[in-house]
Amino acid sequence: MAGMTSTDLLEAELEENAIYKKLLMEAAAQNSGLQQQTPHFKTVIPKPGFCLKTKTDKEEKVFINVCSSETLPKPKDITEEDLIKVLESEDPTAFRVPMSLGEPHAEIDKSGKGCTAYDVIIHPDFLEKCKQSELFVKFLITISIEGLEEKYSMLLDRNYTMLKNRKFLGTLPEQNIRTQSKPLIMEMGSAGASAPGKPLISEVSSFNSQATKPKGEEPKYTIVQEPPDGHPEFLVAEIQLPKVKTAKSLTLDLGEDRIFLQTRSDIYLLDIYLPFNLIQDECGAQFNRQTKVLTLTMPVVLPCS
């Protein structure tokens, strides 16, 4: 061992997958402890707005309850003229509408047949704006449908019907809205070893349906799973950010199955969905100032046995 630096020793140890896994999980646990000082979720009961009826490409009847809650961030207040300009511009993603897409719940329609309902929650001010503008309500319906399609891997008929005599179908279950989804990004000065495992995702196209995005170059990234075969216990993402100098310029949000990363001055923007649900409170992040790589450690929700 003579002549080896501490970095060399660390890299040698990290070649052992079991040790690497232990270090990752300990880092995630430490990060979780820091985040437990404040609540991460707020339970809300959505307020009904209006209800849409449509169907999937498999002829399955679907209802979309568009609801509101003060918990959701308020989008920027723009005019119809502003929205038209944005939609006709080279960057139609410049206007963001924060929304929460709820889990599907089984209901019974007025004919007594089974159907599926989804709840979409937005800020009440934007809902009121949509009720007064045909342009805004069509825009909201479009991004709601596209958001549900993306999240639940389905296709919905655009020939929808807005129900006149009811604001929602079935019940409106409570939703847990995340109030803090920004893990503490720890900064490292020395290089670390690359993550083991097989590549899970090399490139995933950005998603701009739920909330349209600001500008920014999509950075190169890789995501691997551990263990390499079968259902993973956690994912490790390595995101290359060569133009970033410090972790203070990064904003990272980790959703249930989503990574959203942006930087100051719109240098980088990454918005991707993952094929597994994350244990959000146990996720950790480290930015290496030398390699300019952001490493995310993301424990995965295990399937029920």
Side-chain angles (χ1 to χ4, degrees), residues 203-206 216-221 267-272:
E203 288 293 334
V204 180
S205 58
S206 297
E217 173 189 349
E218 181 173 277
K220 294 181 180 179
Y221 65 92
I267 298 175
Y268 294 110
L269 174 69
L270 181 65
D271 190 2
I272 57 175

Side-chain angles (χ1 to χ4, degrees), residues 93-273:
T93 68
F95 179 53
R96 298 174 57 86
V97 181
M99 59 172 57
S100 175
L101 304 178
E103 297 292 327
H105 47 101
E107 301 292 350
I108 303 295
D109 64 12
K110 65 178 183 180
S111 63
K113 296 181 179 180
C115 60
T116 304
Y118 297 85
D119 305 323
V120 177
I121 307 179
I122 60 173
H123 192 277
D125 287 2
F126 189 69
L127 179 59
E128 287 302 314
K129 191 180 191 72
C130 292
K131 289 180 178 179
Q132 300 169 13
S133 167
E134 183 178 355
L135 175 64
F136 273 95
V137 76
K138 286 185 176 180
F139 172 73
L140 172 61
I141 291 171
T142 297
I143 61 176
S144 298
I145 289 176
E146 290 180 354
L148 291 170
E149 286 180 326
E150 180 71 21
K151 183 171 183 179
Y152 295 109
S153 301
M154 61 181 178
L155 292 176
L156 295 175
D157 192 341
R158 265 43 175 189
N159 294 319
Y160 56 82
T161 300
M162 183 179 294
L163 303 186
K164 295 182 179 180
N165 299 321
R166 59 191 314 170
K167 296 182 178 181
F168 65 97
L169 180 86
T171 59
L172 293 179
E174 295 180 347
Q175 284 197 32
N176 290 324
I177 306 298
R178 190 171 182 86
T179 57
Q180 179 182 341
S181 57
K182 298 177 176 62
L184 176 68
I185 301 177
M186 301 178 65
E187 203 162 58
M188 301 187 303
S190 59
S194 59
K198 65 179 181 181
L200 175 66
I201 302 173
S202 57
E203 288 293 334
V204 180
S205 58
S206 297
F207 170 58
N208 57 14
S209 299
Q210 286 189 47
T212 52
K213 303 177 181 61
K215 298 178 181 178
E217 173 189 349
E218 181 173 277
K220 294 181 180 179
Y221 65 92
T222 58
I223 302 177
V224 299
Q225 72 172 56
E226 279 296 328
D229 299 314
H231 195 284
E233 295 181 16
F234 56 88
L235 308 177
V236 179
E238 291 190 344
I239 306 170
Q240 299 179 32
L241 305 170
K243 300 177 184 179
V244 173
K245 295 181 180 180
T246 174
K248 294 180 181 179
S249 64
L250 303 176
T251 299
L252 175 65
D253 289 343
L254 294 179
E256 182 181 59
D257 58 354
R258 183 183 187 184
I259 298 175
F260 182 83
L261 173 71
Q262 64 184 104
T263 61
R264 291 178 188 170
S265 304
D266 296 331
I267 298 175
Y268 294 110
L269 174 69
L270 181 65
D271 190 2
I272 57 175
Y273 278 85

Side-chain angles (χ1 to χ4, degrees), residues 6-25:
S6 58
T7 300
D8 293 332
L9 290 171
L10 177 60
E11 290 179 348
E13 289 179 348
L14 290 178
E15 291 178 358
E16 296 294 332
N17 181 53
I19 297 178
Y20 182 79
K21 176 180 174 180
K22 180 180 179 182
L23 290 174
L24 286 174
M25 299 309 291

Side-chain angles (χ1 to χ4, degrees), residues 56-87:
T56 68
D57 59 334
K58 299 178 182 178
E59 299 297 320
E60 299 167 335
K61 190 178 294 186
V62 169
F63 290 85
I64 302 174
N65 297 319
V66 179
C67 313
S68 67
S69 171
E70 295 279 353
T71 306
L72 271 292
K74 186 189 303 185
K76 180 181 178 182
D77 187 18
I78 65 173
T79 65
E80 288 188 349
E81 291 75 16
D82 293 332
L83 180 59
I84 292 174
K85 290 179 181 178
V86 170
L87 296 177

